[in-house]
Amino acid sequence: MIPISLTVNGEKVVRHVEPRRHLIDFLRLDLGLTGSHAGCEHGVCGACTLRVNGKIMRGCLILAASLDGADVVTIEGISESGEVSDLQAAFVARNAAQCGFCTPGMVMTAAELLAEAGTPTRGEIREYLSGNYCRCTGYQAIVDAVEDTLRSRSAKP
Amino acid sequence: MNEITPASIGLSREDLPNSYIGRSVPRPNVPKLVQGRATYTDDVTLPRMLHAAFLRSPHAHAKFSAIDTARAKAVPGVFRVFTGHDLAKICDPWVATLDHLKGMKSAPQYPLPLNHATWQGEPIVAVVAESRAAAEDGVAALDIEFEALAAQTDMETALAAGTVVIHPELGDNLVFTRTAESGDVAAAFAAAHKVVEARFVTGRHTGVTLEPRSIIADYNPADETLTVYHSTQAPHMMQGVFAKQLRMKEGDVRVICKDVGGSFGIKVHVYPDEVAVAAMARIMGRPVKFVADRFESFVSDIHARDHRIKGRLAVDTEGRVLAFDIDDLTGIGPYSVYPRTSAIEGNQVVNLCGGPYDFKNYRCTTTVVLQNKTPTCQYRAVGHPIATAVTEGLMDLAAEALGMDPVELRRRNLIRDDAYPYTSPPGMRFEGLSHHASLNKLLEMVPLDRIRADQAEARQRGVYRGIGFASFIELTNPSPFMYGIGGARISAQDGCTVRMDPDGSIVASSGVTEQGQGTEAILAQIVAHGVGVPVNRVKIITGDTQTTPYGGGTWACRGAGIGGEAALQSAIALKQQILEVAGAMLQAAPETLDIAMGEITDKASGKPRMTLFELGRIVYFRGDTLPKDLQRELVQTRHFITKEYPFAFTNGIQASWVEVDPATGMVKLLEHWCVEDCGRVVNPMLVDEQVRGGIVQGIGGALYEHCVYDAEGNLLTTTLADYLVPMSAEMPEIHVGHVETPTRESLLGAKGAGEAGTAGAPAAIMNAINDALKPLNARVHEQPFTPERILRALGTIA
C-alpha cells in the first residue's frame, strides 16, 4: 500500500492505496465521490473526465498512487463551487442530458473550454467535446448548451 | 437553479390546467445528472456486499469438464467460486421461444453452462470476492480445460449438410422461419415494366449503453426475500424472471431501478451472468454486485441486426409498386434470448418491408439460424432499420431504372393520408398515418433546389455530394399481440397510482420506467394537466416493483402511449374525487367546480374557492368534519392497455445530405432532416431529442459500428477504440419536424417516438451515399458503409 496525500475538491485527503488503484476507483470506492463514472476504463469514452492540477484528464488512466500532492477537482467540486452553474442550467434548459451517465465528464470538458474564454464556432465546440462519448443525445443539444453559455458569458461585461 | 414553475415555461394562470400537454417542460431529473448527484446501480453499496467476476469462454465453441477452483479460492479476498452445476441446484434453465412463432425452437440456457461453451465471452465460472479486483484475481487463478470445437460462424452455411450443429438435441441450427405472402408475386414480376434487385447486409452491432449492465442482488434468508438493484428497463418482468428461475414467489422478489445509464433495448433481456448473481446471492445470503466492464459488455450485451437480405422490387411504367419479394437471413448466436426471443427481429423484417407503400403483391421470408457468436436480440428500432434499408434501397434503384426523381416515385406510392384504416400486405393494421403530409413538411424544411444546384456545381470540382430519402413506419404501443400471446410474461398493460398528500402535493407512481428518455418528465406533465396543479407540485415514482403498479416498463416506444394514458386516466380520476370532497365542503355541486394551479375554483367564473392545501388539511386531519358517508379516497389507480389495434404505427421520412471522398472512401455528413408523426406530442423538446439521439444511433450502424468476428468466431472489436460509436465532431446538425396524428385509442393520443430516428437514418444515408457515387457508377448496400467498402465499390481496391 502506498501512502498519498492530496487535495480533492478543496479538502485534504490522506489515504493508503494499492499500486493498481486508478483514480476513478479511488474517488468512487475510497472517497464515495460517485459523480465521475467508469464507462470504458481505457481512456476512450470520457465519462471519468475530471481535473488534475488544473487540466482535465481521464480518471481511469491515472494511478492514484501517482497523485501525492495533486489537486483533484471532480464534478462534485465544480458543482459546489458554482463555476459552471450557468452551463449546468443550460444543460437543463436544452435537455442536453438524457441518461446522464456521460454528463459529468461532458460538463468537466466543457468547463475547460469555457475557461479558455475564446469564441469557438459550433464546429470547434464539437471538436473539443469529441473525446466525450454520449450515446443518447446525438450531441446537438450539448453543443447548443455550450454555445448558449459561451454567448451569454461573452455578452456580460 | 432550474426550478420548473408555470411561469418559467411561459404559462399564466389562464393557461392552466390544460396547457402542459405539448409544452417543452424541462426534465426535473436533469439537475442531478449535471451535478453528478444521480445514483446509478454501481453507486449503491450495501453492508457485507461481495463482488462477482466471471471467467468467460475464450472459445466460440468448446466442451469443458473439470474445473479446478483450488488456486482461485486461495487468492486473498476470494470468498467462493460457483460453477454451472453449483447454480443449477437452485436455479432452473430457461428456453426462449414464443408460441405464436410457429415451429420456433431454442435450447435450454443455464445461468452458467454445465459443460458446453457456445460463444466467445459466455460466462462459464463465477468468482465472488470482497472486491471486484480480488474477484478478477480469482478468475485469473481458475484452472479449466477447454476442448475447442469447430464453430458455426457463417449464417449462410448454418443449415448446410455436414455443418456444425450447435445444439445436437435440436437436430439442426434452424430457430425459426416464416414467410408472409399475399397477392400473386410471380405474376406481378412477370408483368413488370422494370424489376430491380439487390443484396443488402446490415452489420452486427450493439447498444453500447455508457453505463454497463449493472446488478446487485441481496437475499435475506431471515424473511426469504430477494431485493435486486438492477439497471433494467423492465423491473416487473425481471421480478417474475428471478422468482420463476429461483423457485420463489413473485411477492418475495423486489426489483429496484436506480438511475439507468442508457438502455436502447439492451437492458430488457435476461442475461445469464445477471441471473447467476441473483442465484449466488440466494445461496450465500449476502449481497453480490456485478457491473460488466466494457470488454464484457461487447462480448455479452446482446448484439443485433446481423442480417443478409436479398430483395426484388417490380414497378409498372407509371412507377407504381407492383410487388416486393424479400428473402431475409439472420444469425442470432447460440441461444434465442429470453423472454422476448431472438426471432422477433427477423419477424419484424417480414412485417415491415414495403411498409410505407400502397401495393398488393408481397412475399417475404425470414430464416433465423444459430451461430457461435454473442446472442442477438431486440435493440432500438428492432428490425425497422433493416426493413427500411431494403425497402428504400430498392425504391431508389427503381427510381433510377425508371429515370424518375426518387421523391416523385415515393409520392406516387406512399399510402394516401385519407386511406386509413389500412392493412398492409403482411397484415399490419394502420389506424392513421401521414406519409404525404410528412413528405410535404420535409420538403418545406429541405432546401432541395439549392442542394441539387450545389451538388451539380460540386461535381464540376470533383466533389461528390448526395442526398437520400427514406420513408418509414414504426411500431409503437404494442398490445399483448407482441409477446403475451406467445406465452411470455411481459405486460402490455401499465398502471399509474396518483395520490394527493396533505399539503396538496401530488405523487404518481407508474409501471413505466426512466432510462433518460424523459419518462418521468412527461408523466409529471400529464398528471399536472390531469389534476390541475403546477407541474412542480408533482413527484413521479418509477422503477420499484414494491411501490409501483404492475407494468411492462419502457421499451418498444410504449412509455408515453401506454404509461402516459394510465397516468392521465388516474389523474382525472383523482381530480374527480377531489372535486367530490370539495363539493361537500363548499356545498357546491362538484361539476360546478374545477382545479387550476392547485386551487379549487368556481368553474364558471374561475374564482378561487379553496386551496388544495386546505382541502388536504381537512381530509387528512379533520375528517370528522366531513359528511360520514363521503368518499374521500385521495388516491386513484388506473391501468391502460390498447384494445383496437395490435400496435400503434407511426410514420415519418428522413433526408440525409452527405459528401463522399472518392480518394479515401470517407463519408462526411453535412446535414440531416427528419419529419415524424408520433401522434400527440407531450413535450416537443424531449421528442426532438429522442429523434436526434435515435438518428445518431442509426448513423452509427450505417457508418461506424460493427461487431467484427474472425472466421473462428472470436470477436475482434472489444474496446471502444476498436468499435467506433458516433462522436460529436462527425455528427451533422439534425432538423426535426412533426406532423401530429393522435391515436384514437386513448384520450392522450400519444404514440411512441424513441425509435423513429434509428429506423430511418441508415436507409437515408445509404441512399445519399449512392446518390453521391452515381456519377462514378458505384453503389453500396452493405452496412456499415466503411471507407474500405466504398473504395471497393469504386474499384479502387480489390
Side-chain angles (χ1 to χ4, degrees):
Chain A
M1 298 290 260
I2 295 164
I4 53 169
S5 170
L6 66 163
T7 304
V8 178
N9 297 331
E11 293 175 23
K12 190 84 175 163
V13 173
V14 180
R15 289 287 191 282
H16 285 78
V17 294
E18 270 193 87
R20 66 178 174 180
R21 187 69 120 196
H22 52 52
L23 176 55
I24 188 69
D25 278 359
F26 176 69
L27 293 169
R28 293 179 53 82
L29 302 176
D30 297 341
L31 304 188
L33 291 167
T34 55
S36 308
H37 299 138
C40 72
E41 296 176 278
H42 48 259
V44 182
C45 79
C48 62
T49 303
L50 38 76
R51 201 181 273 171
V52 178
N53 297 330
K55 296 294 292 177
I56 54 167
M57 296 188 183
R58 305 290 208 219
C60 71
L61 295 184
I62 304 170
L63 294 171
S66 70
L67 292 176
D68 192 45
D71 179 24
V72 175
V73 177
T74 69
I75 186 67
E76 288 92 344
I78 205 174
S79 298
E80 281 169 21
S81 75
E83 179 187 327
V84 287
S85 56
D86 54 348
L87 174 71
Q88 289 167 323
F91 264 65
V92 176
R94 288 283 190 171
N95 200 50
Q98 287 186 28
C99 85
F101 200 77
C102 75
T103 310
M106 199 68 83
V107 168
M108 295 304 292
T109 299
E112 186 166 271
L113 177 62
L114 290 171
E116 289 175 7
T119 52
T121 63
R122 282 179 76 80
E124 286 163 348
I125 295 170
R126 285 182 177 277
E127 280 290 342
Y128 207 96
L129 299 177
S130 68
N132 289 76
Y133 285 13
C134 170
R135 199 56 175 155
C136 300
T137 65
Y139 301 104
Q140 190 161 322
I142 298 171
V143 176
D144 290 342
V146 174
E147 192 179 37
D148 287 352
T149 309
L150 280 161
R151 197 173 291 158
S152 62
R153 283 194 184 189
S154 67
K156 281 178 190 152
Chain B
M1 177 178 98
N2 308 316
E3 197 190 354
I4 300 154
T5 62
S8 75
I9 55 169
L11 291 182
S12 69
R13 167 178 283 275
E14 285 65 41
D15 290 318
L16 292 174
N18 300 315
S19 297
Y20 281 115
I21 309 294
R23 295 272 173 172
S24 291
V25 179
R27 289 172 59 208
N29 309 48
V30 179
K32 72 177 176 185
L33 303 179
V34 301
Q35 294 178 40
R37 290 189 174 277
T39 308
Y40 300 91
T41 297
D42 191 30
D43 301 338
V44 175
T45 300
L46 300 178
R48 301 181 74 230
M49 188 170 78
L50 298 167
H51 300 260
F54 293 90
L55 180 136
R56 293 178 181 274
S57 174
H59 302 286
H61 197 190
K63 287 279 182 193
F64 60 90
S65 48
I67 301 171
D68 187 344
T69 62
R71 281 203 309 129
K73 283 176 181 161
V75 169
V78 168
F79 192 73
R80 278 183 78 162
V81 177
F82 292 91
T83 66
H85 287 288
D86 296 331
L87 299 186
K89 288 174 193 154
I90 65 131
C91 183
D92 295 321
W94 52 89
V95 178
T97 57
L98 289 167
D99 298 341
H100 66 302
L101 301 181
K102 297 278 181 290
M104 183 178 185
K105 61 182 192 276
S106 183
Q109 186 175 18
Y110 290 84
L112 299 173
L114 304 180
N115 53 26
H116 188 195
T118 54
W119 84 88
Q120 182 247 320
E122 181 176 13
I124 306 292
V125 184
V127 176
V128 180
E130 63 185 21
S131 70
R132 169 69 184 232
E136 289 185 19
D137 292 344
V139 168
L142 283 166
D143 294 303
I144 175 167
E145 271 186 39
F146 287 97
E147 178 200 339
L149 303 173
Q152 168 53 46
T153 57
D154 181 0
M155 66 171 96
E156 297 278 2
T157 61
L159 303 179
T163 197
V164 173
V165 175
I166 296 175
H167 300 288
E169 68 272 26
L170 297 180
D172 58 28
N173 293 322
L174 180 65
V175 175
F176 175 66
T177 185
R178 175 190 160 208
T179 298
E181 186 157 9
S182 68
D184 189 339
V185 173
F189 274 92
H193 171 58
K194 296 281 184 192
V195 171
V196 293
E197 62 184 306
R199 178 180 180 275
F200 299 85
V201 173
T202 51
R204 180 183 260 261
H205 51 281
T206 184
V208 194
T209 58
L210 212 52
E211 178 210 30
R213 291 189 294 106
S214 309
I215 187 169
I216 303 168
D218 183 13
Y219 183 74
N220 184 337
D223 61 11
E224 301 179 331
T225 57
L226 179 72
T227 303
V228 183
Y229 298 83
H230 198 187
S231 181
T232 179
Q233 300 168 236
H236 283 104
M237 181 195 88
M238 289 309 305
Q239 175 193 34
V241 168
F242 290 128
K244 179 162 178 268
Q245 302 315 129
L246 296 172
R247 306 162 197 160
M248 297 176 68
K249 295 192 288 291
E250 286 187 2
D252 291 334
V253 178
R254 178 184 187 183
V255 177
I256 298 169
C257 305
K258 308 300 285 186
D259 290 303
V260 175
S263 52
F264 321 122
I266 299 301
K267 295 175 180 171
V268 75
H269 309 296
V270 172
Y271 289 93
D273 48 17
E274 296 177 5
V275 178
V277 167
M280 294 187 292
R282 173 110 159 84
I283 291 169
M284 294 187 295
R286 284 179 70 168
V288 181
K289 178 187 275 189
F290 168 67
V291 178
D293 67 22
R294 190 54 59 186
F295 166 77
E296 291 181 295
S297 300
F298 277 115
V299 295
S300 66
D301 288 6
I302 61 103
H303 295 178
R305 319 236 210 280
D306 197 359
H307 288 242
R308 180 280 290 148
I309 315 98
K310 294 173 184 166
R312 294 196 303 152
L313 167 60
V315 290
D316 70 10
T317 52
E318 302 295 310
R320 296 208 197 290
V321 171
L322 298 175
F324 277 96
D325 185 11
I326 314 283
D327 176 56
D328 171 57
L329 174 66
T330 177
I332 61 155
Y335 295 100
S336 168
V337 175
Y338 192 68
R340 281 173 162 69
T341 85
S342 308
I344 290 289
E345 191 180 62
N347 200 50
Q348 294 281 64
V349 172
V350 174
N351 286 338
L352 299 172
C353 280
Y357 301 112
D358 185 6
F359 67 101
K360 295 279 183 297
N361 307 297
Y362 184 69
R363 180 166 57 210
C364 184
T365 296
T366 187
T367 305
V368 181
V369 300
L370 297 175
Q371 305 160 300
N372 291 115
K373 295 182 182 176
T374 298
T376 72
C377 203
Q378 278 73 305
Y379 163 53
R380 195 175 198 171
V382 190
H384 293 73
I386 302 159
T388 306
V390 171
T391 303
E392 295 299 273
L394 290 171
M395 287 298 279
D396 265 24
L397 288 175
E400 193 176 340
L402 289 159
M404 189 179 285
D405 180 76
V407 172
E408 176 58 24
L409 181 68
R410 284 173 174 79
R411 199 189 290 286
R412 287 186 187 195
N413 289 287
L414 288 168
I415 302 168
R416 293 193 333 269
D417 289 356
D418 61 359
Y420 301 96
Y422 182 97
T423 301
S424 75
M428 296 295 104
R429 291 170 55 215
F430 306 143
E431 182 199 27
L433 301 176
S434 61
H435 286 295
H436 288 269
S438 297
L439 172 61
N440 292 338
K441 175 115 187 179
L442 185 86
L443 294 176
E444 289 169 17
M445 293 162 61
V446 179
L448 199 50
D449 292 339
R450 176 173 70 69
I451 281 173
R452 288 293 184 200
D454 174 274
Q455 180 182 41
E457 182 274 330
R459 277 180 189 168
Q460 304 298 318
R461 294 184 283 117
V463 173
Y464 294 90
R465 293 180 181 155
I467 184 154
F469 296 87
S471 285
F472 61 90
I473 55 171
E474 191 214 329
L475 178 162
T476 78
N477 293 1
S479 74
F481 279 86
M482 187 131 189
Y483 296 115
I485 193 175
R489 294 173 70 83
I490 296 171
S491 177
Q493 173 181 282
D494 245 287
C496 185
T497 296
V498 182
R499 70 170 198 259
M500 193 193 102
D501 284 346
D503 71 347
S505 298
I506 305 297
V507 178
S509 59
S510 170
V512 293
T513 51
E514 170 79 80
Q515 299 94 37
Q517 305 91 331
T519 307
E520 294 185 359
I522 63 149
L523 292 178
Q525 286 175 257
I526 291 165
V527 169
H529 166 93
V531 180
V533 299
V535 70
N536 53 331
R537 297 307 307 276
V538 180
K539 278 273 179 277
I540 301 293
I541 298 168
T542 66
D544 185 342
T545 57
Q546 204 162 78
T547 60
T548 63
Y550 198 94
T554 298
W555 45 273
C557 285
R558 65 188 297 282
I562 307 295
E565 180 68 8
L568 181 60
Q569 295 295 346
S570 56
I572 289 170
L574 177 63
K575 177 179 182 173
Q576 282 166 350
Q577 177 67 84
I578 292 171
L579 292 180
E580 289 280 331
V581 175
M585 289 176 174
L586 298 168
Q587 300 191 337
E591 57 273 18
T592 66
L593 300 172
D594 200 357
I595 309 176
M597 297 283 274
E599 290 192 330
I600 311 292
T601 61
D602 178 72
K603 199 174 203 167
S605 67
K607 195 167 152 255
R609 298 289 309 272
M610 184 199 297
T611 63
L612 290 182
F613 185 91
E614 176 63 5
L615 183 136
R617 184 186 70 82
I618 291 173
V619 168
Y620 285 99
F621 308 120
R622 289 304 310 275
D624 58 304
T625 63
L626 295 171
K628 283 194 174 61
D629 57 351
L630 179 70
Q631 281 284 334
R632 61 200 68 178
E633 299 292 334
L634 298 187
V635 53
Q636 297 288 325
T637 299
R638 294 291 183 276
H639 288 79
F640 179 69
I641 188 168
T642 54
K643 299 184 182 77
E644 300 298 323
Y645 284 82
F647 313 105
F649 275 91
T650 72
N651 68 279
I653 182 166
Q654 297 190 28
S656 167
W657 172 228
V658 308
E659 181 176 309
V660 183
D661 184 341
T664 63
M666 295 287 283
V667 176
K668 184 177 177 188
L669 302 167
L670 300 173
E671 217 162 341
H672 199 103
W673 298 263
C674 176
V675 172
E676 65 88 60
D677 182 348
C678 63
R680 179 90 66 228
V681 173
V682 178
N683 184 320
M685 176 170 69
L686 298 191
V687 170
D688 285 2
E689 290 307 306
Q690 280 300 298
V691 172
R692 286 199 178 93
I695 286 169
V696 168
Q697 282 190 350
I699 289 171
L703 294 180
Y704 312 116
E705 299 185 36
H706 198 189
C707 298
V708 180
Y709 281 86
D710 68 13
E712 284 73 48
N714 298 301
L715 183 62
L716 304 177
T717 49
T718 58
T719 74
L720 278 170
D722 302 301
Y723 182 97
L724 304 181
V725 301
M727 296 188 290
S728 58
E730 286 77 29
M731 289 305 102
E733 298 291 322
I734 299 167
H735 312 279
V736 183
H738 302 282
V739 172
E740 289 191 57
T741 309
T743 173
R744 289 182 292 274
E745 284 232 44
S746 67
L747 188 57
L748 186 63
K751 310 176 199 173
E755 300 174 279
T758 312
I765 290 166
M766 175 179 70
N767 286 346
I769 292 170
N770 288 335
D771 186 48
L773 295 177
K774 202 174 284 174
L776 303 170
N777 296 314
R779 204 179 264 153
V780 286
H781 290 130
E782 185 165 347
Q783 298 178 36
F785 305 112
T786 58
E788 180 188 342
R789 283 176 175 156
I790 287 170
L791 292 177
R792 200 168 278 150
L794 286 164
T796 312
I797 59 174

